[in-house]
Amino acid sequence: MARKLSRLPKIISKLYEDEFYHQPGAIPGTIFIDADAPPPVIFLIDYNQTNLIRKQIATPEECIPYLDRESISWVDVQGLGSQDILQRLGQVFELHPLVLEDIVNVPERPKTEDYEDQLLFIARMVVPKERTCGFHSEQVSLILGKNYLLTVQEEPEHDCFEAVRSRIEKNKGIIRKQGADYLAYALLDAIIDGFFPVLELYGERIEELEEEVIVKPTPQTLQNIYQIRRELLQLRRAIWPQRDAINALIRDAPDLISEEVRIYLRDCYDHTVQVMDMVETYRELASGLMDVYLSAVSNKMNEIMKVLTIVSTIFIPLTFIAGIYGMNFNTEKSPYNMPELNWYWGYPLCWAVMLAIALGLLFFFWRRGWLQNSVTIKRN
């Protein structure tokens, strides 16, 4: 127990190691750029009910002409590897220094902040990995203005916004008839819905581990269970504050969000609660698998000990008989000194008695049910 407690600070530090990035005494609004962060790539989608412009732009200043229009402008920045571009982006959109700090210094806890003419929403987006188990996780920041929406992603490789882009381009639904607040809702809804494919994969993995734990548990099985519990904990840390942030949007009712969009956000909140329930359920199943694994290993050890005990029990009377006739008392000194040694059929008779005892004990154990496995699995 003392050894496990000594490892607890290391485990907690591992879970939160990515969040301790602020230097003591740093100036508020200070930007920290990760050396491995990819360079920013900026995409612009400007649309109304009849027209659509979708292109990649080189500099943040190219967004300025679109911000004064009546159309809706979605500026999507993918990557955080350039401090110069990010600062220029903050100047173009007139971002508060604390907003720019929350966007760049990742990971930030999901939250919502109201800055009068702008609304900041920080979310956590997950995308399942294609060839391996697990998921990609990155921070997405949404800055909502009157006629524009600025999104900033950690990296350009993975996101779950392609369905929203397709709806805008093909003019499906009501997205091009609504304002920037509806676009923000659509992206938040896509982020929340992105959790379901990830959880579906974890449900399949847990089902596979359930059979493996009972039929043939191995040390690798225990490692897989532990890995699933760690990853589900990361999902829980991502979705739990996200639920509170969406609830704050509904409860506090910022001016930039209309009453109609607030109704859609309630549906998004319901999806968040559903994701939380699934995460908690899978975490409980993973914890249960850990207990089942320990029980299965214990039962396996009990089966081994039972077999060894049965073998020892059978050989105890045989050893007793062999020990008696191995004392070699001289039969010439007394007629009571092992008279069986002088019998013509003494040796075969001794073997017959020993075999009868062994077979009799095996029959007794069989009738008592002690020769059967205590854990049996029936396949349909």
Side-chain angles (χ1 to χ4, degrees):
M1 179 62 71
R3 184 178 180 182
K4 293 181 178 180
L5 291 177
S6 65
R7 294 178 55 194
L8 185 59
K10 296 181 180 180
I11 295 176
I12 297 176
S13 176
K14 180 64 177 176
L15 290 175
Y16 292 90
E17 61 180 359
D18 293 334
E19 295 190 6
F20 296 144
Y21 48 79
H22 288 291
Q23 298 179 1
I27 300 174
T30 303
I31 297 177
F32 296 92
I33 301 296
D34 191 351
D36 298 331
V41 181
I42 307 176
F43 296 92
L44 170 68
I45 299 180
D46 186 86
Y47 64 89
N48 54 27
Q49 296 188 30
T50 57
N51 299 320
L52 172 68
I53 299 175
R54 180 177 180 179
K55 63 179 181 178
Q56 180 178 345
I57 58 179
T59 62
E61 288 75 14
E62 296 182 35
C63 302
I64 297 177
Y66 298 94
L67 300 181
D68 297 331
R69 297 182 179 182
E70 294 297 328
S71 58
I72 305 302
S73 299
W74 174 19
V75 180
D76 186 21
V77 181
Q78 302 178 6
L80 300 174
S82 174
Q83 184 173 354
D84 176 64
I85 292 180
L86 293 172
Q87 288 179 341
R88 289 159 58 188
L89 193 70
Q91 294 174 0
V92 170
F93 287 89
E94 298 180 354
L95 301 179
H96 193 280
L98 294 181
V99 174
L100 197 60
E101 177 186 1
D102 291 338
I103 292 174
V104 178
N105 298 339
V106 296
E108 188 73 30
R109 189 176 188 270
K111 64 177 182 178
T112 179
E113 296 286 347
D114 190 0
Y115 289 88
E116 295 182 0
D117 57 343
Q118 289 181 338
L119 178 66
L120 169 67
F121 191 97
I122 295 180
R124 200 75 195 171
M125 178 172 59
V126 297
V127 178
K129 295 182 179 179
E130 296 180 357
R131 299 182 180 180
T132 59
C133 299
F135 57 89
H136 301 282
S137 177
E138 65 173 299
Q139 177 176 305
V140 180
S141 303
L142 294 84
I143 299 92
L144 175 63
K146 183 178 180 181
N147 292 322
Y148 66 86
L149 178 67
L150 171 64
T151 59
V152 183
Q153 306 181 44
E154 283 189 52
E155 57 185 31
E157 295 182 4
H158 311 94
D159 72 7
C160 55
F161 296 154
E162 194 57 37
V164 179
R165 298 187 185 101
S166 178
R167 285 161 54 191
I168 296 175
E169 185 173 356
K170 298 178 181 179
N171 199 7
K172 289 185 177 181
I174 62 173
I175 189 168
R176 287 176 61 171
K177 301 177 183 178
Q178 301 291 329
D181 54 347
Y182 186 88
L183 175 61
Y185 149 74
L187 297 182
L188 286 177
D189 187 61
I191 292 174
I192 301 301
D193 289 344
F195 281 82
F196 288 102
V198 175
L199 291 174
E200 184 178 353
L201 294 178
Y202 279 103
E204 295 175 358
R205 290 177 61 187
I206 290 176
E207 288 181 1
E208 295 174 357
L209 284 175
E210 283 180 345
E211 183 175 358
E212 183 178 344
V213 163
I214 298 177
V215 176
K216 191 178 180 181
T218 62
Q220 183 62 36
T221 304
L222 180 61
Q223 183 176 353
N224 293 337
I225 295 174
Y226 179 74
Q227 182 66 24
I228 286 180
R229 291 184 62 187
R230 290 288 302 275
E231 293 174 359
L232 288 174
L233 179 59
Q234 294 178 8
L235 286 176
R236 183 180 184 274
R237 292 178 55 208
I239 195 61
W240 190 279
Q242 214 145 280
R243 180 202 63 170
D244 297 336
I246 295 177
N247 186 35
L249 288 179
I250 301 173
R251 183 184 65 250
D252 298 339
D255 296 335
L256 292 172
I257 298 180
S258 63
E259 184 64 30
E260 182 180 359
V261 173
R262 211 168 298 138
I263 296 175
Y264 287 105
L265 286 174
R266 294 175 188 171
D267 180 69
C268 189
Y269 177 81
D270 293 339
H271 291 173
T272 308
V273 174
Q274 185 178 355
V275 170
M276 286 182 53
D277 291 340
M278 294 178 64
V279 171
E280 292 297 330
T281 300
Y282 288 157
R283 288 188 65 216
E284 292 178 2
L285 289 175
S287 299
L289 285 179
M290 186 77 73
D291 297 335
V292 172
Y293 172 83
L294 297 176
S295 299
V297 172
S298 178
N299 288 335
K300 185 177 180 181
M301 181 62 66
N302 290 338
E303 294 295 333
I304 296 174
M305 295 303 298
K306 183 178 70 174
V307 172
L308 296 178
T309 302
I310 290 176
V311 172
S312 301
T313 304
I314 293 175
F315 277 90
I316 284 175
L318 307 185
T319 305
F320 173 75
I321 294 175
I324 290 177
Y325 289 98
M327 292 187 293
N328 297 323
F329 284 102
N330 190 356
T331 57
E332 296 179 357
K333 296 296 182 178
S334 171
Y336 300 106
N337 288 345
M338 296 185 178
E340 300 86 358
L341 296 179
N342 295 321
W343 291 359
Y344 183 80
W345 296 101
Y347 181 70
L349 181 61
C350 181
W351 269 107
V353 172
M354 295 171 69
L355 289 176
I357 292 175
L359 294 176
L361 288 175
L362 285 175
F363 178 77
F364 175 76
F365 295 153
W366 174 74
R367 289 298 300 270
R368 299 284 294 185
W370 295 348
L371 298 181
Q372 300 178 0
N373 290 332
S374 60
V375 179
T376 57
I377 304 296
K378 295 182 179 180
R379 299 179 180 269
N380 296 328

